[in-house]
Amino acid sequence: MTTQIRITEAAPSDAAELASIHIAARRDAMPYLPTLHSDEDTVRWFVARLAEIPAAFRVARTDRDIVGYFVLHDGQLQDLYVQPHHQGRGVGSALLDAAKSLSPRKIVLSTFQQNTEARAFYEARGFREIGRTDGDNEERLPDIQYEWDGAVTRTTRRYCR
């Protein structure tokens, strides 16, 4: 049975649930990350971010729960996380498709070089590597910058039909 996923704008009242998804997904997929903030600090950070840029947040909802989210601000995909027990069910793809529809020309993002699953996810969906860092982030871990060019994707689709 396939679960129906709806992508909607996040509400300020979603902050704690989004923080919970963020924390759980990072701990599950990236156990190598250093713990830099308490869970309570992460919730406060989400409350502040939702207040500052509310239109940038989208959530993936089932009938009962929020199961994932993304933050897309000025063409930069800052976050895309799915609750660990909902991964592999199309939630991430639905979120990324929604992000592409909101920013149809271009999206840029960074992911840790060590996060091979995220890298494979983005590369399989048309993102190409545009740079690397030696750890110019809070975690001090090397990352990769990716870009999705909507114009290239549309041109490719037109010629591949």
Side-chain angles (χ1 to χ4, degrees):
M1 183 170 108
T2 303
T3 303
Q4 187 71 19
I5 301 295
R6 293 175 294 115
I7 309 297
T8 64
E9 288 187 26
S13 60
D14 296 330
E17 197 165 358
L18 298 182
S20 174
I21 291 168
H22 182 87
I23 292 164
R26 286 173 65 99
R27 285 182 180 152
D28 185 70
M30 299 173 280
Y32 51 83
L33 290 180
T35 301
L36 300 173
H37 306 283
S38 69
D39 292 357
E40 295 78 17
D41 285 342
T42 301
V43 171
R44 283 190 286 278
W45 180 59
F46 269 84
V47 169
R49 288 174 78 198
L50 264 167
E52 182 182 338
I53 52 171
F57 282 78
R58 295 292 185 279
V59 297
R61 297 180 187 274
T62 64
D63 288 336
R64 299 184 327 222
D65 302 307
I66 295 175
V67 296
Y69 78 96
F70 71 79
V71 179
L72 178 70
H73 187 63
D74 293 335
Q76 181 180 9
L77 189 63
Q78 297 174 357
D79 292 356
L80 191 156
Y81 288 98
V82 175
Q83 192 64 268
H85 61 275
H86 279 37
Q87 292 176 5
R89 299 180 184 181
V91 176
S93 293
L95 286 164
L96 190 56
D97 287 346
K100 287 178 176 180
S101 72
L102 291 171
S103 185
R105 293 181 187 260
K106 181 168 91 170
I107 296 174
V108 295
L109 64 89
S110 292
T111 192
F112 298 111
Q113 288 181 28
Q114 219 171 327
N115 192 348
T116 56
E117 288 186 22
R119 292 172 54 192
F121 173 81
Y122 291 118
E123 290 169 9
R125 287 155 183 83
F127 283 77
R128 65 180 179 79
E129 182 180 329
I130 58 171
R132 290 179 179 238
T133 75
D134 291 333
D136 186 21
N137 52 52
E138 184 178 42
E139 294 84 359
R140 304 275 188 242
L141 294 173
D143 59 14
I144 299 177
Q145 290 84 43
Y146 283 100
E147 178 181 81
W148 172 78
D149 184 335
V152 170
T153 302
R154 284 190 298 278
T155 301
T156 304
R157 282 188 189 144
R158 190 174 331 128
Y159 292 111
C160 291
R161 288 186 183 169

